Amino acid sequence: MAASFIPFIIGFLSVLSSTADAAIQYHDFVVQETPVKRLCRTKNVITVNGQFPGPTLEVSDGDTLVIKVLNNARYNVTIHWHGILQLGTPWADGPDRITQCPIQPEASYTYQFTIIEQEGTLWWHAHSRWLRATVYGALLIHPKFGSSYPFPVPKLEIPILLGQWWNGDIISILNQATFSGGAPNVSNAYTINGQPGDLYRCSRKDTMRFYVENGDRILLRVINSALNQQLFFTIADHKLTVVGVDALYIKPFTTTTIMLGPGQTTDVILVADQAPGYYYMAARAYESAQNAPFDGSTTTAILAYKYAPCSGQIGTPLKPILPRLPDYNDSATVIAFTSQLKSPSKVEVPTFITEDLFFAIGLGLVNCNPGPTCKGPNNTRFAASMNNVSFVLPQTTSLLQAHYQNIPNVFTTDFPPIPPLPFDYTGNVPRALWQPVSGTKLYKLKFGSQVQIVLQDTTIVSTEDHPVHLHGHHFYIVGQGFGNFNPGTDTVNFNLEDPPQRNTVNVPVGGWSAIRFVANNPGVWLMHCHIDSHLTWGFAMSFLVENGPGKLESIEAPPLDLPPC
């Protein structure tokens, strides 16, 4: 009996040791209007604690975060902790009217959640309307005390937040696009850590500079915070060793250029091994949609070597070296990059698939009549859908609260597992299939389901590379390709040994991605395109994951301060 008690003591002590160094962090986020000057003009934008970008949160695996958000702005707001699994804490996930109603002006809400077996780079952002254009910040998760990175410890760690800037008011731009049914105005600049860089007017003196010494190893934590744009990122004359994506380690590989869809993060090791000088970091658009307007400008920051000469041999100021970026529509570079992403070793990919789903995704058009003249093609309104369903947010309560409290007439659970009418997805699509239906439809998953989803891009309006984000879960990307997915021939080429894990997948332009995950996190979880204009047009759906067998696998009661709608 005493011998059988020993393993219990050892296990109990190990739990104590693993939690003894975990911390509880308390933070106050005040959402407010703040005057910010960019591109020669000053305007009020919505910020957190008056900062743009917002505060960087540095935590360790196992820490608990308690963050009180006070809304002193004029708009409703929620905060999403992008990539945090929220195991057992779905009320803290944050998407507006999915897991909570928004925090109204002069009200507050406290998010509380624990980091459970996650480390790397994530971020937080507003998840209501288009406020995340300026309401966002880095969330850096360090290894537990006593653990380290699976690579040599870098001398420096630098978060690099890529963003977009509009001279106009972002909510007015959203309202105009919603009213007209057309595409929103393109941005006026891209930014690195909130600054456009010295290729834009009135921006030279505020260009971000990152100082390094020769031989330094730097961990760059790159985050695409842009509202509506995939972005290429590179550094002149330097190579980047990719070591992680979406707070998950990968098998390291070296490249000169990375591409991130909105919502994605990429950790790279940079070695300062060039002649002392000044080198531009640069980012610009990857735009795969045909005939779609976009911002073609380039944002820069400067990698500055200490002890670099201030001027050249003839006394002129030493200018930073500008890197060559891929063409805007260079899908070959994107595929070459993503095809190298693999898990560090063999992983346990779900193989006994109990939910085999096929989602046709993309844009569509809705007839404008009756009504005002619309700005979409041929007097239509832009729409987006998954399996021909254009997602509609509920108005009176959140989906999670409606599920938890059995509130009727808020949603249905009949989201189609396959397209209602199969068609040639990347061919000539009949116009009768261009108009989706609207609805608030969920797909129910039993706890423990092993799920495969094939996300198929379509040629309705235009093919496009779509960054699709799943809340509450990581997934393995087991396959990708161009054209229509063929289950007979494409499945045999799936990578079931070492596929990468992510929370956001870029579905190739005119192609497909296959992902797999285990539905082991009860709650209501949003899946959507992380291009916010597409989300506004209805590019989303939600999974309802049922409770598991025990208390730790079930949804806890909603917090007492859960905001009302």
Side-chain angles (χ1 to χ4, degrees):
M1 184 172 180
S4 65
F5 189 65
I6 291 175
F8 171 79
I9 293 292
I10 294 174
F12 180 69
L13 291 176
S14 68
V15 171
L16 285 182
S17 65
S18 66
T19 58
D21 298 302
I24 301 178
Q25 292 195 22
Y26 295 88
H27 298 273
D28 289 312
F29 275 19
V30 179
V31 181
Q32 62 190 68
E33 287 197 24
T34 303
V36 172
K37 185 176 182 180
R38 298 291 186 273
L39 306 183
C40 313
R41 64 179 67 187
T42 299
K43 69 168 186 174
N44 282 346
V45 301
I46 307 301
T47 67
V48 168
N49 297 348
Q51 301 176 39
F52 171 63
T56 294
L57 299 179
E58 292 201 55
V59 303
S60 295
D61 182 20
D63 286 357
T64 295
L65 287 171
V66 182
I67 304 171
K68 181 179 179 181
V69 178
L70 172 63
N71 185 8
N72 281 345
R74 51 193 166 126
Y75 305 114
N76 293 344
V77 71
T78 65
I79 303 294
H80 170 51
W81 317 95
H82 186 110
I84 296 295
L85 292 177
Q86 301 293 356
L87 294 168
T89 52
W91 304 102
D93 191 42
D96 181 10
R97 285 170 288 168
I98 305 297
T99 61
Q100 68 172 98
C101 290
I103 308 167
Q104 298 176 10
E106 306 305 321
S108 65
Y109 178 61
T110 301
Y111 296 90
Q112 180 168 337
F113 54 90
T114 299
I115 312 295
I116 301 176
E117 296 184 357
Q118 292 187 262
E119 56 186 70
T121 303
L122 296 175
W123 64 304
W124 58 265
H125 60 81
H127 209 302
S128 44
R129 307 181 83 184
W130 288 4
L131 292 180
R132 79 171 178 89
T134 53
V135 179
Y136 62 85
L139 175 52
L140 314 182
I141 308 174
H142 299 287
K144 290 180 179 178
F145 180 79
S147 300
S148 187
Y149 302 118
F151 47 80
V153 176
K155 180 180 179 181
L156 301 172
E157 297 187 18
I158 304 174
I160 303 291
L161 294 102
L162 310 177
Q164 279 181 284
W165 176 265
W166 279 263
N167 286 333
D169 176 74
I170 194 63
I171 298 300
S172 297
I173 292 169
L174 165 63
N175 291 341
Q176 175 61 31
T178 303
F179 174 77
S180 71
N185 295 344
V186 299
S187 56
N188 298 101
Y190 300 110
T191 58
I192 295 177
N193 291 5
Q195 293 293 342
D198 57 11
L199 300 186
Y200 298 92
R201 58 198 183 100
C202 305
S203 302
R204 182 178 299 274
K205 68 181 181 66
D206 294 315
T207 298
M208 294 297 303
R209 285 177 173 254
F210 303 104
Y211 290 94
V212 299
E213 294 186 21
N214 199 274
D216 283 352
R217 289 175 55 86
I218 305 107
L219 175 60
L220 297 181
R221 299 173 175 269
V222 189
I223 303 166
N224 186 349
S225 315
L227 197 69
N228 290 326
Q229 192 63 61
Q230 294 97 327
L231 293 168
F232 290 114
F233 174 82
T234 190
I235 303 175
D237 292 355
H238 287 74
K239 293 183 178 180
L240 307 174
T241 299
V242 183
V243 295
V245 292
D246 293 359
L248 292 153
Y249 294 118
I250 63 162
K251 193 174 297 180
F253 67 93
T254 300
T255 183
T256 57
T257 303
I258 63 175
M259 196 286 286
L260 305 91
Q264 292 185 321
T265 72
T266 303
D267 288 348
V268 298
I269 297 293
L270 165 74
V271 178
D273 57 3
Q274 297 300 302
Y278 305 96
Y279 301 85
Y280 274 128
M281 299 179 179
R284 77 174 184 187
Y286 165 52
E287 181 53 56
S288 59
Q290 296 181 359
N291 303 317
F294 68 96
D295 179 354
S297 63
T298 300
T299 180
T300 57
I302 298 173
L303 184 73
Y305 280 67
K306 295 178 182 177
Y307 317 118
C310 296
S311 61
Q313 292 182 348
I314 59 175
T316 57
L318 201 64
K319 293 183 178 180
I321 298 172
L322 188 66
R324 182 185 176 192
L325 283 152
D327 292 337
Y328 298 112
N329 62 350
D330 189 349
S331 294
T333 292
V334 174
I335 294 300
F337 170 69
T338 56
S339 64
Q340 296 184 79
L341 299 174
K342 299 180 186 297
S343 289
S345 59
K346 182 177 172 58
V347 291
E348 295 184 7
V349 181
T351 55
F352 183 67
I353 301 301
T354 56
E355 295 283 353
D356 195 357
L357 310 176
F358 184 94
F359 292 171
I361 62 174
L363 304 184
L365 299 172
V366 176
N367 293 331
C368 192
N369 296 319
T373 300
C374 292
K375 297 291 181 65
N378 300 316
N379 192 33
T380 60
R381 306 178 67 86
F382 278 110
S385 66
M386 304 178 75
N387 279 357
N388 205 47
V389 178
S390 190
F391 188 73
V392 177
L393 288 170
Q395 297 299 313
T396 58
T397 187
S398 71
L399 295 178
L400 181 60
Q401 192 165 5
H403 164 58
Y404 184 88
Q405 298 178 342
N406 295 313
I407 301 173
N409 304 319
V410 176
F411 63 83
T412 60
T413 56
D414 57 345
F415 184 87
I418 61 174
L421 182 63
F423 57 95
D424 182 1
Y425 305 106
T426 56
N428 187 13
V429 182
R431 288 298 293 253
L433 297 175
W434 283 40
Q435 180 161 319
V437 298
S438 298
T440 309
K441 297 177 182 291
L442 279 61
Y443 190 86
K444 187 181 292 187
L445 293 172
K446 291 183 179 179
F447 181 87
S449 297
Q450 297 192 27
V451 185
Q452 175 176 291
I453 307 174
V454 174
L455 296 159
Q456 173 71 61
D457 188 28
T458 66
T459 53
I460 300 175
V461 181
S462 175
T463 55
E464 187 168 357
D465 184 296
H466 294 283
V468 179
H469 174 49
L470 174 61
H471 292 232
H473 296 80
H474 293 149
F475 49 75
Y476 292 103
I477 304 174
V478 296
Q480 290 186 304
F482 290 104
N484 293 339
F485 174 73
N486 186 324
T489 58
D490 291 326
T491 305
V492 297
N493 295 317
F494 280 180
N495 178 5
L496 303 181
E497 296 291 320
D498 58 356
Q501 264 190 301
R502 304 207 73 159
N503 62 57
T504 305
V505 57
N506 280 305
V507 180
V509 52
W512 54 270
S513 293
I515 65 173
R516 292 185 179 184
F517 65 96
V518 177
N520 57 4
N521 193 8
V524 176
W525 305 106
L526 185 65
M527 183 181 227
H528 64 99
C529 183
H530 220 277
I531 296 174
D532 272 27
S533 59
H534 294 183
L535 175 58
T536 299
W537 293 336
F539 193 150
M541 58 83 64
S542 284
F543 288 105
L544 193 167
V545 180
E546 298 178 314
N547 283 352
K551 187 176 189 304
L552 293 179
E553 294 84 28
S554 62
I555 303 173
E556 296 294 332
L560 295 177
D561 63 341
L562 194 70
C565 278

